[in-house]
Each structure stands twice: as structure tokens, then as C-alpha cells.
Amino acid sequence: MEWKLFADLAEVAGGREIDVAAEPGDTVGDALDTLLEARPDLRDRVLDDGEVADHINVLRNGRNVRHDDGMDATLEAGDELALFPPVSGGAVGR
């Protein structure tokens, strides 16, 4: 399974796409644990008191897992996983 990382999370992990040993039947939480074991520098950026920080978005197939089964969602073949940190900025048009 592959995680896609965005913004500073990709910098911390050393890449935008990280393969992890997760497969169909595992949960999103299992896949995240495997990612954090492989890239421990992400742990402090992604977790807060052992849980995914409120400001980190965990997506499965483009949808925030908080809107579905959360970290207990079961992975299926072909799922796309992504981590997004908060994004802000941009110019205001006049």
C-alpha cells in the first residue's frame, strides 16, 4: 500500500510517496502505524497524545476517514491513502 504525503510531511518523510507493508484487510490505522514505524520523524508531526492530531487530515480514496469509519476503516485493494497537513495562505484578489 502506498501513502501520499503533502507539504512539509513529504519533507519530513523524505518523499512524497511511501510504500508500506499494508494490504487489503488491514485498517487505515494499521497502515498509518506501519508508515510511522518506517518514518519515525513523522510521528511528532502527525500524532498528538498517541492519536492523529486534529489538524492532520487522513484521506482514503480522497475522503477524510473522520467522515467514515475513522482509523478502523478496512483497506481494500486499490485504496489510495494520503496525509495532508493544514494548508493556508494564498493571495487575496483586489
Side-chain angles (χ1 to χ4, degrees):
M1 193 80 37
E2 180 179 84
W3 280 97
K4 293 184 180 191
L5 307 177
F6 295 87
D8 68 321
L9 297 178
E11 291 177 32
V12 171
R16 294 181 56 94
E17 297 176 352
I18 308 293
D19 286 317
V20 297
E23 52 191 56
D26 291 341
T27 66
V28 173
D30 295 333
L32 181 61
D33 288 344
T34 303
L35 172 66
L36 297 178
E37 287 172 15
R39 299 293 196 276
D41 291 344
L42 281 174
R43 188 171 302 279
D44 289 340
R45 181 70 178 93
V46 172
L47 300 182
D48 184 21
D49 290 328
E51 299 292 326
V52 175
D54 289 339
H55 62 276
I56 297 293
N57 295 301
V58 180
L59 305 181
R60 177 179 167 230
N61 301 324
R63 185 168 164 84
N64 193 319
V65 299
R66 287 185 175 113
H67 301 298
D68 295 318
D69 294 328
M71 300 306 286
D72 293 328
T74 302
L75 297 173
E76 297 178 12
D79 279 352
E80 293 183 1
L81 300 172
L83 285 179
F84 277 90
V87 178
S88 64
V92 175
R94 292 182 192 223

